Amino acid sequence: MKPNDVVSNLPNNPTPNTHASVDSAQQEQQAGLDFVRQVITDDLATGRAKQIVTRFPPEPNGYLHIGHVKAICLNFGVAEEFDGLCNLRFDDTNPDAEEQEYVDGIANDVKWLGFNWNGEPRYASGYFDQLYAWAVQLIEQGDAYVDLQSPEEIKLNRGSFVEPGKNSPYRDASIEENLTRFEKMRSGEFKEGEAVLRAKIDMASTNVHMRDPILYRVLHSEHHQTGDKWKIYPMYDYAHPLSDAIEGITHSLCTLEFQDHRPFYDWIVEKVKSKAVPHQYESSRLNVDYTITSKRKLRKLVEGGYVNGWDDPRMPTVVGMRRRGFTPEGLRDFCKRVGVSKTDGIVDVAMLEFCIRQSLENTAARGMAVLSPLKVTLTNLPEDMDLTHARHPNVDMGDRVIPLTKEIYIDRKDFEEVPPKGFKRLVPDGEVRLRHAYVIKCDEVIKDANGEVIELKCSIDPETLGKNPEGRKVKGVIHWVSATKGIPAEVRIYDRLFTEADPETGDDYLANLNPESLKIVQAVIEPALAQATPEDRFQFEREGYFVADQYDHSPEKPVFNRILDLKDSFKPEKK
């Protein structure tokens, strides 16, 4: 099975990573390919690979975020472009941190983003028997040993970037002794932390990842896939390359922080004498300003009550962005524009917002909602009437009925008693057009005892329905809803979660949380909007893009989340 509507089918309008090297960017531009696609092209041409097989290998210990979206688009995208396959594999080697909830959530996220994986989902835990057999093989070859040092001793003897490590006193134990100890580890005779299986490589290596890395540790934990079968679990760095080998992965794509792990990746695949020899390639991870993607820090936001769960629309998680109303098409377009680079950099969040707006322009139906209602009485409207107007100005989405009644609401910001310079909305004795309806004139301003404006009395020009008034020009157009037939709705106005482009600025990222990141207003919407189903997206005219909340919205109690406002500060590069 292959992905649906993947990155390769999106408009060819990439924006280079501004932090990438000039030479690398020029070479990629000349070839028309990023370095990953160039490698794949060369491998197919030389016959190193007959068919491309990639994988998306999440650890099911949390929710996917914006960084994972780029990895998904890259792995599934190149598989589609080169007529290959992409596996979904859960690298589930740590039962203490993993839950079935995350497994299910990750699969749903991948599908929502528009991709299908090859065959059934795979699990590293499905290979535990083979991984154990290979571990025994390594011991028999003299390439692994059981270390009985404490975790503190192992850490201390590992050395540093400037000092070599020290050999374990258990490093030269006999093969028979190591096999016996490893079997005791498996049978649960050791407590957690009492024994580990380590590769025997080089404690003096300049690459600390090659200093006898741990392959297995003791964990007396039940696994969400294998139950209580195992008392030992493989480390990620051991299980991952060998799972790639088992699955025949040709191009193991990961981020730059794994570059120093590649020598061990190659070492372990070579030592077990796997028939398939996967190769690892590293590219930059996705870093977006005003955003954090650390699972630990995101968890702190959730558990500390700073946000309303993992699917809070302010969160950079896929479930959060989905609930916010972001589209899978917009996210895929964003990842394509960011591109693939060998150099880390920071991407402007305005580019992400631009891509989401682009995806909404011709897919979001139009509607009117007043977020800060001010009552207007149309004194000479002869009777209530229903106006019919298109749901979208440029795309055929059918029509909607907009009731016009004697009493309506306009937004408070659309009226000023003493208007500032350039104000083109409603003023005393001034005229403005009601969107899709008549030109009205403000004849009287009514205030309460505190001097606050509570109502406007206006007259319509009956000759201006669907046409301009004669002999004068009316510049302003404002939105409105019926006061008697409009529907009350809760509208959640979301903004960026952090006030700083780099949330890590200062001593504590929590100090940079935006106190204005969520405002809840009681609005009035046109009746057609109340009939929306959860996740239906709209442009509230003159206000922004909104989505019917995934969980809380109903026709009886409408709830909408603001996706983005209508302003766009990002200017894509022209080709």
Side-chain angles (χ1 to χ4, degrees):
M1 299 176 70
K2 297 176 183 176
N4 299 322
D5 192 20
V6 294
V7 173
S8 58
N9 297 325
L10 296 170
N12 185 19
N13 188 24
T15 300
N17 187 318
T18 56
H19 296 265
S21 68
V22 174
D23 290 343
S24 175
Q26 287 177 345
Q27 291 171 1
E28 291 172 8
Q29 186 175 14
Q30 290 170 1
L33 299 171
D34 58 57
F35 82 90
V36 169
R37 289 168 172 85
Q38 188 61 61
V39 165
I40 292 174
T41 299
D42 294 343
D43 286 346
L44 289 171
T46 60
R48 189 192 81 76
K50 301 298 183 184
Q51 182 183 42
I52 300 304
V53 184
T54 61
R55 82 292 172 266
F56 174 58
E59 299 173 70
N61 59 3
Y63 290 88
L64 300 185
H65 54 63
I66 184 70
H68 295 111
V69 175
K70 181 183 177 184
I72 291 169
C73 289
L74 178 59
N75 279 286
F76 283 95
V78 296
E80 166 69 10
E81 291 167 34
F82 292 93
D83 197 25
L85 304 171
C86 184
N87 296 342
L88 172 63
R89 181 179 74 236
F90 295 99
D91 278 345
D92 52 347
T93 60
N94 184 9
D96 286 345
E98 298 163 358
E99 296 179 21
Q100 187 64 39
E101 173 189 349
Y102 299 137
V103 172
D104 297 338
I106 289 169
N108 288 335
D109 287 347
V110 173
K111 288 180 180 178
W112 178 77
L113 285 166
F115 300 102
N116 293 314
W117 47 85
N118 171 45
E120 294 297 319
R122 293 160 169 82
Y123 299 84
S125 58
Y127 311 137
F128 278 179
D129 287 320
Q130 178 62 66
L131 295 178
Y132 178 82
W134 272 331
V136 171
Q137 176 186 329
L138 290 170
I139 295 173
E140 293 173 340
Q141 293 172 181
D143 292 317
Y145 64 97
V146 174
D147 195 347
L148 302 181
Q149 293 182 101
S150 69
E152 294 75 20
E153 289 173 323
I154 292 175
K155 182 178 181 181
L156 181 65
N157 292 332
R158 195 183 187 198
S160 67
F161 289 109
V162 295
E163 294 180 349
K166 297 178 182 179
N167 285 349
S168 166
Y170 302 94
R171 196 174 195 267
D172 296 324
S174 68
I175 290 174
E176 292 73 18
E177 196 169 6
N178 280 310
L179 288 172
T180 299
R181 288 171 178 169
F182 192 47
E183 177 57 34
K184 288 182 178 180
M185 286 177 61
R186 179 180 182 176
S187 63
E189 294 182 44
F190 286 107
K191 296 179 182 178
E192 294 184 11
E194 285 186 339
V196 294
L197 180 70
R198 298 179 71 175
K200 187 185 291 187
I201 307 178
D202 182 5
M203 289 301 293
S205 173
T206 55
N207 184 339
V208 295
H209 298 289
M210 297 296 282
R211 295 180 185 174
D212 292 8
I214 296 173
L215 308 180
Y216 270 88
R217 78 285 204 195
V218 176
L219 280 180
H220 296 280
S221 301
E222 188 164 322
H223 192 282
H224 53 91
Q225 296 294 319
T226 61
D228 60 0
K229 176 180 178 180
W230 294 93
K231 306 301 181 186
I232 56 173
Y233 289 93
M235 300 298 290
Y236 176 88
D237 275 1
Y238 173 74
H240 181 82
L242 296 183
S243 296
D244 283 350
I246 291 170
E247 294 179 10
I249 302 302
T250 58
H251 296 77
S252 182
L253 309 178
C254 59
T255 48
L256 287 173
E257 61 262 37
F258 289 96
Q259 187 168 3
D260 290 340
H261 298 243
R262 192 194 330 142
F264 177 73
Y265 184 105
D266 295 338
W267 183 90
I268 195 68
V269 171
E270 178 186 358
K271 287 295 183 180
V272 303
K273 301 176 176 61
S274 167
K275 292 181 180 179
V277 181
H279 291 262
Q280 176 177 299
Y281 302 91
E282 308 88 16
S283 62
S284 60
R285 63 181 297 164
L286 179 58
N287 299 304
V288 183
D289 59 8
Y290 293 96
T291 306
I292 59 171
T293 53
S294 161
K295 287 182 181 178
R296 178 180 60 84
K297 292 177 180 178
L298 292 175
R299 184 180 298 278
K300 188 173 181 180
L301 291 175
V302 173
E303 294 177 350
Y306 300 100
V307 294
N308 299 316
W310 289 98
D311 63 353
D312 187 300
R314 294 166 291 182
M315 291 281 277
T317 53
V318 175
V319 288
M321 293 186 291
R322 178 177 180 176
R323 192 170 182 184
R324 175 77 172 261
F326 285 13
T327 65
E329 297 83 6
L331 289 170
R332 295 197 302 266
D333 182 28
F334 172 63
C335 291
K336 182 173 179 63
R337 291 173 184 271
V338 169
V340 181
S341 172
K342 293 183 180 180
T343 308
D344 273 331
I346 306 295
V347 179
D348 189 347
V349 70
M351 182 197 289
L352 171 60
E353 294 169 351
F354 167 83
C355 293
I356 299 302
R357 289 189 185 93
Q358 287 284 98
S359 70
L360 292 168
E361 173 60 30
N362 290 321
T363 59
R366 299 328 192 227
M368 291 191 291
V370 174
L371 307 188
S372 181
L374 173 61
K375 183 180 176 181
V376 172
T377 300
L378 303 177
T379 56
N380 63 332
L381 183 71
E383 60 182 357
D384 293 354
M385 58 191 302
D386 288 334
L387 305 176
T388 301
H389 199 78
R391 286 166 49 84
H392 195 287
N394 304 314
V395 180
D396 185 6
M397 295 183 179
D399 294 330
R400 71 192 202 263
V401 174
I402 309 171
L404 176 63
T405 56
K406 193 174 186 68
E407 294 178 348
I408 64 172
Y409 289 126
I410 66 170
D411 200 286
R412 286 187 175 273
K413 66 177 180 290
D414 285 334
F415 172 78
E416 289 285 352
E417 274 193 284
V418 183
K421 185 178 180 180
F423 189 75
K424 295 180 180 179
R425 285 161 276 177
L426 195 58
V427 298
D429 297 320
E431 288 186 312
V432 73
R433 177 176 288 282
L434 296 179
R435 183 75 165 155
H436 310 311
Y438 296 98
V439 169
I440 64 170
K441 179 181 180 182
C442 180
D443 302 311
E444 183 181 355
V445 178
I446 300 174
K447 302 180 181 181
D448 63 14
N450 297 319
E452 295 291 328
V453 177
I454 57 172
E455 184 181 355
L456 306 176
K457 291 189 179 294
C458 299
S459 54
I460 67 167
D461 182 341
E463 302 300 320
T464 57
L465 185 62
K467 58 183 179 179
N468 293 323
E470 295 183 3
R472 65 195 191 279
K473 200 176 271 189
V474 177
K475 295 182 179 179
V477 179
I478 63 175
H479 62 287
W480 56 276
V481 295
S482 166
T484 53
K485 295 184 179 180
I487 307 296
E490 178 180 302
V491 175
R492 300 163 181 172
I493 308 297
Y494 290 101
D495 204 344
R496 294 171 184 170
L497 186 57
F498 293 97
T499 57
E500 297 289 338
D502 179 5
E504 304 289 348
T505 299
D507 297 330
D508 184 2
Y509 73 102
L510 294 176
N512 296 320
L513 286 169
N514 179 9
E516 303 295 317
S517 63
L518 170 60
K519 297 179 181 178
I520 299 177
V521 301
Q522 300 305 314
V524 182
I525 60 176
E526 63 174 81
L529 291 174
Q531 301 308 309
T533 57
E535 296 193 83
D536 283 351
R537 302 176 183 89
F538 299 89
Q539 184 191 111
F540 289 179
E541 300 189 45
R542 300 179 67 238
E543 290 289 358
Y545 290 103
F546 293 77
V547 63
D549 188 79
Q550 188 177 5
Y551 303 112
D552 298 337
H553 174 86
S554 68
E556 297 74 30
K557 187 181 178 182
V559 177
F560 288 88
N561 303 326
R562 187 176 73 174
I563 306 170
L564 293 167
D565 58 22
L566 295 175
K567 298 177 183 178
D568 201 335
S569 60
F570 180 73
K571 303 299 180 185
E573 293 186 8
K574 295 182 179 179
K575 295 193 69 179

